[in-house]
Amino acid sequence: MRLLHTSDWHVGKVLKGQARLDEQIKALGQIVEVARAERPDLVIVAGDLYDTASPTADATKVVTRALSALKGTGAEVVAIGGNHDNGPALDALRPWAEAAGITLRGAVSANPKDLIVSGTTAGGEEWRLVALPFLSQRFAVRASEMFELTDAEATQTYADHISRLLETLTKAAFTNDSVNLITTHLTVLGATQGGGEREAHTIMGYAVPVTVFPQAAHFVALGHLHRAQTVPGPSTVHYSGSPLAIDFGETENLPGVSIVDVTKDTAAKVRTVEITAATRLRTIRGTLADLENFPDDGSWLRVFVREQPRAGLREEVQAMLPRALEVRIDPAMLPETTTDRPDATRAGRSPQDLFTEYLTSRGHADEATLALFGKLYDEVG
């Protein structure tokens, strides 16, 4: 059996005001090309199809067309909701998905059998897949109650609930004569974060030990962390990573999809196919003189300027580097700040004096900025 594992498309993502829908279309188009070349039996999309719970009509069109194109390669296609997706809204697309032969699971339903998908490859290999969408901490308790595992107590942890859910689902799904698979969207302890993940859902309260996945699973296809990696565990537990860098925190990641070969009698073999269609994100540093000679290779840029702060510096950099989406002063150029001055010394001093003192303490005593502050203060005052 061959799988194509992908996740974290984040269609609709806007980077520092720059729309990237065209890049996302190209990246997804390249994934379809990989599927045509590799001829997987099953494509798994492990969550975060969208970047927001309220995607635009254009973003929805891109996702549905991509899923349809993947189905058109001859593979079975299963996609689940991630923490950026609106689970019930994804489930509202299920009539369309079922008509197209696509399995879409946006949220956990009251029927655990709804989260079990099965099939047989052209070569006769049977497979069984537990497809568990992202669960918030609060909903994990409700899901546990739905499945009547035990009384869900407030003191139980998120990992407890995920473990119980997976135990119930895998017991109902897995057999000795099938390739046993799991896909879900979460953070596993010991994995390396790749930037770009929503912090609230990657903190330790949302992390689960790799032991929540049973040894009987031949392959666990994870989404949520944007860096491709395999986490050591009782089975092959793998993040495919994102097919494009979502933000500047991901410039060291290798965008791609994972191709997995596995049988019921052999361990999963995983390899990454790079996706190169999206524009590269780069972080550069230098003085204005350094930046003036920087070659334009078409990348989107985050620039750390090694100059003293002053009004208009950002505009100078962007005039020099039109593809600079973010411009900051290099932290090495900023003086260390102190909080030694007691609040009492502010009494009786004008806002202009206080602002001047603040700018001076930050190494940014710029006359143009002070003049602008005075003008704006007079207008609102």
Side-chain angles (χ1 to χ4, degrees):
M1 180 181 188
R2 174 165 288 180
L3 315 176
L4 188 154
H5 170 206
T6 179
S7 70
D8 297 282
W9 293 356
H10 288 270
V11 174
K13 170 73 175 180
V14 175
L15 179 62
K16 307 297 180 182
Q18 175 63 45
R20 303 184 71 198
L21 199 61
D22 288 345
E23 295 177 57
Q24 291 155 357
I25 291 171
K26 291 177 182 177
L28 296 179
Q30 192 173 352
I31 293 175
V32 174
E33 292 174 7
V34 172
R36 290 196 183 109
E38 297 285 350
R39 300 187 63 81
D41 300 291
L42 173 64
V43 173
I44 296 175
V45 187
D48 279 358
L49 287 79
Y50 299 106
D51 189 62
T52 172
S54 301
T56 64
D58 285 341
T60 300
K61 184 186 298 183
V62 170
V63 167
T64 54
R65 287 183 174 179
L67 293 174
S68 296
L70 287 168
K71 177 63 179 176
T73 66
E76 294 298 319
V77 177
V78 177
I80 62 171
N83 61 303
H84 282 242
D85 298 316
N86 183 326
L90 276 182
D91 282 333
L93 292 174
R94 282 180 61 171
W96 160 81
E98 289 167 3
I102 296 164
T103 301
L104 189 60
R105 297 292 183 264
V108 175
S109 70
N111 180 9
K113 292 182 179 179
D114 194 43
L115 303 179
I116 298 172
V117 188
S118 60
T120 304
T121 70
E125 190 84 75
E126 294 184 10
W127 55 270
R128 310 270 287 176
L129 171 66
V130 170
L132 182 63
F134 172 78
L135 282 170
S136 68
Q137 201 160 19
R138 180 174 59 182
F139 195 78
V141 178
R142 291 178 55 199
S144 296
E145 292 169 341
M146 282 180 185
F147 292 177
E148 298 180 351
L149 303 174
T150 61
D151 293 335
E153 300 174 354
T155 56
Q156 288 180 315
T157 66
Y158 180 77
D160 290 332
H161 295 300
I162 294 297
S163 178
R164 291 168 183 269
L165 289 169
L166 287 172
E167 182 181 8
T168 296
L169 290 167
T170 54
K171 282 183 177 180
F174 289 179
T175 74
N176 293 328
D177 297 320
S178 61
V179 177
N180 299 320
L181 309 167
I182 299 172
T183 185
T184 188
H185 191 91
L186 46 68
T187 301
V188 172
L189 288 168
T192 302
Q193 295 188 23
E197 300 88 23
R198 184 169 291 172
E199 183 180 1
H201 294 147
T202 53
I203 58 177
M204 295 307 293
Y206 269 91
V208 303
V210 74
T211 52
V212 301
F213 303 111
Q215 189 174 3
H218 291 85
F219 183 72
V220 179
L222 296 181
H224 191 38
L225 302 186
H226 295 178
R227 179 174 296 180
Q229 58 191 295
T230 297
V231 185
S235 56
T236 305
V237 179
H238 185 73
Y239 287 96
S240 67
S242 177
L244 72 166
I246 302 300
D247 61 32
F248 288 106
E250 302 183 17
T251 54
E252 300 304 317
N253 296 351
L254 177 68
V257 297
S258 298
I259 301 297
V260 185
D261 291 302
V262 62
T263 76
K264 66 182 178 63
D265 298 318
T266 59
K269 297 179 180 179
V270 185
R271 55 189 168 88
T272 296
V273 177
E274 187 176 2
I275 300 297
T276 59
T279 302
R280 183 182 178 189
L281 305 184
R282 296 188 63 182
T283 297
I284 61 174
R285 290 175 166 81
T287 64
L288 287 178
D290 296 331
L291 299 175
E292 189 173 12
N293 297 318
F294 183 79
D296 184 0
D297 62 0
S299 301
W300 298 119
L301 301 175
R302 174 174 63 177
V303 183
F304 287 95
V305 191
R306 289 175 174 161
E307 301 278 348
Q308 290 298 321
R310 66 173 184 274
L313 182 58
R314 174 188 175 91
E315 288 75 14
E316 286 183 51
V317 173
Q318 289 186 314
M320 192 180 300
L321 299 171
R323 297 184 69 81
L325 300 182
E326 183 178 348
V327 179
R328 297 184 181 185
I329 300 298
D330 192 316
M333 302 300 297
L334 297 173
E336 293 185 7
T337 58
T338 63
T339 56
D340 294 339
R341 178 179 292 278
D343 291 342
T345 60
R346 299 180 181 182
R349 303 175 66 202
S350 71
Q352 186 82 23
D353 288 342
L354 293 172
F355 188 61
T356 300
E357 182 181 88
Y358 167 75
L359 289 184
T360 301
S361 71
R362 299 290 294 172
H364 194 166
D366 178 63
E367 291 298 327
T369 304
L370 291 170
L372 180 59
F373 175 85
K375 177 182 177 181
L376 294 174
Y377 184 78
D378 288 343
E379 288 180 2
V380 300

